[in-house]
Amino acid sequence: MNYNTQNAKIASITEKTLIVGIDVGSETHYARAFDWRNYEYSKKPLEFSNTEAGFLTLKAWMEDLSEKYGKTAVIPGMEPTGHYWFALGKFLQDSGMKPVHVNPHHVKKSKELDDNNPNKNDRKDPKTIAALVNEGRFSYPYIPTGIYAEIRSLSNLRFQTQEELTRIKNRIARWFSIYFPEYKAVYADLKAVSGRMVLKEFPLPEDIVKPGVEGVNQIWRDAKLRGAGMKRAKALVSAAEHSIGSKEGPEAARIELKNLLNDLEVYASRLEELLWSIEEKLKEIPYIDKLMAIKGIGLITVSGFIAEAGDIRRFDNPKQLQKLAGYAIVANESGKHNGESRISYRGRKRLRYVLYEAAISLIGKNEQFREIHEYYRGRKENPLKKMQSVVAVACKVIRVFYVILTKGVDYDAEKLMRDIRRPQMQAA
């Protein structure tokens, strides 16, 4: 049964249901209680703190109202206000309740229905939230547990580490543009080991010139480094001799580069450790090896998908995953006007990014997905633009992943190609 339709959500609210709207804050929350007809039971909002004592106060308050008015079920609704709802949501879930989320955009648009006033306050918002829940305009938040919680946390750490690594690389590139622009002509890759070894000893061009070619080459010989010799040393020293880089503040420049290179090593090492941990955790998820066997799909794609989607069994069909990723198609039609459709962009941004990167990788490395991409772009009826085709391939990836993870089947390239609807083949 599909529990995510609005009809199913409305049907879950009966005369025996207590609806609690909660306005979540960083330190203090406010709650109001209603029945299925929007009749309020609470004379004034309950104010409770973001502590264990506060949560227990809320629980006791809801239990008292349920007993007093004969309610057998409680549906607490709230806005997903950043990370502030995590602790409260987990507490409610552990207490046997199913907390639900309402869209903050819907709350903002609906709060004027009662008094035609856009005012925002702690008494008004819980009522608006409860009214939206009563209408079935809510979603069930997913709070991962067990191995899925581990993978999501590790994936978040990987994203953060990768972002820090990118910032450090950008700062190093900026440093070279100021103090040693010619370095890029010698080393295209800023992470080159031989180049970093020299820079640790001789950061500035004037420092490299002093020991000369022999001095630079001696650093590599002492480290027994292969792939770097006199030719590379001559090119580096020559670039240093003719450098147009700034010579102001040399001591500060040396300290800055030293810190940046140290940070680069730290975060690069941290990223490798996280990837290893993620790989070990993924082995506990059924059928992950079948996803990894697809040409063009790697560890980062699979880990990002599992981290954002969680337990795949909670979805009734791939369309729910597509909606979660923000790839749901939004039509632009009115009367005789038939505008161009687009994707909703409403959902988990990282999941959308992971699937987009997976589509790009598959188009480049996987023959079947490349043919699908070319078919979408070249078909006679409704040909797609390049970006539209990539999104269509990303949606195809969702369906492939869903079938493999739910049914445990192997990736079938022939079946994938048969799923393409070709009018000329059907006619034949």
Side-chain angles (χ1 to χ4, degrees):
M1 180 180 178
N2 192 335
Y3 294 95
N4 288 309
T5 63
Q6 188 170 1
N7 282 345
K9 294 172 184 176
I10 294 174
S12 66
I13 301 171
T14 66
E15 296 179 5
K16 296 293 186 179
T17 303
L18 180 70
I19 303 170
V20 179
I22 304 173
D23 182 34
V24 176
S26 59
E27 298 179 357
T28 306
H29 313 307
Y30 296 87
R32 294 173 70 176
F34 302 82
D35 72 350
W36 66 295
R37 298 172 302 167
N38 282 337
Y39 177 83
E40 185 169 8
Y41 293 131
S42 48
K43 295 182 179 180
K44 62 180 182 178
L46 172 70
E47 180 181 347
F48 62 100
S49 61
N50 191 39
T51 61
E52 182 183 21
F55 293 170
L56 292 174
T57 300
L58 172 67
K59 183 180 179 182
W61 179 74
M62 292 188 294
E63 289 175 349
D64 289 343
L65 289 176
S66 297
E67 184 178 354
K68 181 178 180 180
Y69 295 102
K71 306 300 180 182
T72 58
V74 179
I75 300 182
M78 64 191 80
E79 292 178 279
T81 313
H83 57 274
Y84 297 125
W85 70 274
F86 287 171
L88 178 58
K90 189 67 170 64
F91 173 81
L92 294 172
Q93 181 175 277
D94 293 342
S95 299
M97 289 174 254
K98 260 191 174 181
V100 299
H101 280 171
V102 296
N103 193 320
H105 180 73
H106 295 169
V107 175
K108 183 177 180 181
K109 294 296 183 181
S110 303
K111 65 176 59 180
E112 298 182 37
L113 293 177
D114 290 336
D115 54 7
N116 198 31
N117 192 325
N119 282 347
K120 174 182 175 61
N121 55 63
D122 299 325
R123 177 175 178 81
K124 188 174 182 180
D125 284 1
K127 182 179 181 180
T128 307
I129 291 169
L132 289 170
V133 172
N134 195 17
E135 294 173 2
R137 304 184 190 280
F138 60 84
S139 61
Y140 294 104
Y142 174 62
I143 304 176
T145 58
I147 187 62
Y148 295 100
E150 291 280 2
I151 292 175
R152 175 170 287 188
S153 297
L154 287 171
S155 182
N156 288 338
L157 287 173
R158 188 193 68 79
F159 269 105
Q160 294 167 10
T161 304
Q162 185 63 62
E163 289 172 356
E164 289 296 329
L165 203 54
T166 302
R167 290 191 188 98
I168 292 169
K169 290 178 181 178
N170 291 338
R171 290 176 62 189
I172 291 175
R174 175 184 177 275
W175 188 95
F176 280 119
S177 297
I178 296 173
Y179 297 103
F180 196 179
E182 297 77 11
Y183 181 84
K184 298 176 184 177
V186 183
Y187 287 101
D189 185 4
L190 298 179
K191 297 188 296 180
V193 176
S194 59
R196 281 190 290 168
M197 290 176 66
V198 174
L199 292 172
K200 286 182 179 180
E201 295 287 336
F202 312 116
L204 294 172
E206 60 195 67
D207 300 330
I208 295 175
V209 171
K210 290 178 182 178
V213 176
E214 290 293 340
V216 171
N217 189 47
Q218 190 62 43
I219 294 175
W220 299 330
R221 290 176 63 185
D222 293 341
K224 297 181 181 180
L225 185 68
R226 295 181 179 181
M230 293 296 292
K231 184 177 179 180
R232 180 62 63 89
K234 288 178 181 178
L236 186 60
V237 172
S238 176
E241 290 174 344
H242 300 89
S243 177
I244 59 170
S246 173
K247 294 178 174 54
E248 301 299 329
E251 289 302 320
R254 292 186 181 98
I255 293 172
E256 182 182 4
L257 183 61
K258 178 183 177 181
N259 292 339
L260 288 173
L261 293 176
N262 288 338
D263 290 345
L264 182 67
E265 291 182 359
V266 169
Y267 279 98
S269 175
R270 187 177 299 174
L271 186 61
E272 290 181 4
E273 292 176 1
L274 287 170
L275 287 173
W276 181 85
S277 299
I278 289 171
E279 187 174 9
E280 291 299 309
K281 293 295 182 182
L282 281 175
K283 293 178 181 178
E284 301 180 33
I285 306 294
Y287 312 125
I288 284 296
D289 56 326
K290 297 181 183 295
L291 290 187
M292 299 287 286
I294 302 174
K295 186 178 180 181
I297 295 298
L299 174 64
I300 292 177
T301 296
V302 174
S303 63
F305 179 82
I306 295 297
E308 296 301 313
D311 190 351
I312 203 75
R313 294 170 296 182
R314 67 192 181 96
F315 297 99
D316 297 312
N317 54 65
K319 286 187 177 180
Q320 293 177 359
L321 262 172
Q322 184 175 335
K323 185 177 180 181
L324 180 68
Y327 279 138
I329 304 301
V330 178
N332 182 15
E333 299 176 0
S334 178
K336 295 182 179 180
H337 173 72
N338 188 7
E340 185 174 326
S341 299
R342 59 178 181 82
I343 60 175
S344 66
Y345 290 101
R346 293 188 180 182
R348 298 192 71 86
K349 181 179 179 181
R350 283 184 180 172
L351 180 58
R352 186 164 61 251
Y353 169 77
V354 166
L355 290 168
Y356 177 81
E357 290 293 312
I360 293 294
S361 176
L362 287 167
I363 291 170
K365 300 177 182 178
N366 190 298
E367 296 178 3
Q368 293 80 35
F369 280 93
R370 187 186 308 119
E371 187 173 342
I372 290 174
H373 175 61
E374 292 171 354
Y375 163 70
Y376 284 147
R377 295 192 65 195
R379 61 188 180 186
K380 292 183 179 180
E381 295 183 6
N382 189 27
L384 301 181
K385 298 177 183 178
K386 183 177 180 180
M387 188 62 69
Q388 291 174 326
S389 179
V390 173
V391 171
V393 171
C395 294
K396 174 69 77 173
V397 172
I398 292 174
R399 294 192 287 274
V400 171
F401 280 17
Y402 181 83
V403 171
I404 291 175
L405 291 175
T406 53
K407 298 182 179 180
V409 299
D410 293 324
Y411 169 69
D412 189 344
E414 293 183 3
K415 184 178 186 305
L416 182 70
M417 299 310 298
R418 289 197 301 268
D419 289 344
I420 301 178
R421 297 180 180 178
R422 295 193 175 107
Q424 64 272 21
M425 292 181 64
Q426 291 178 358

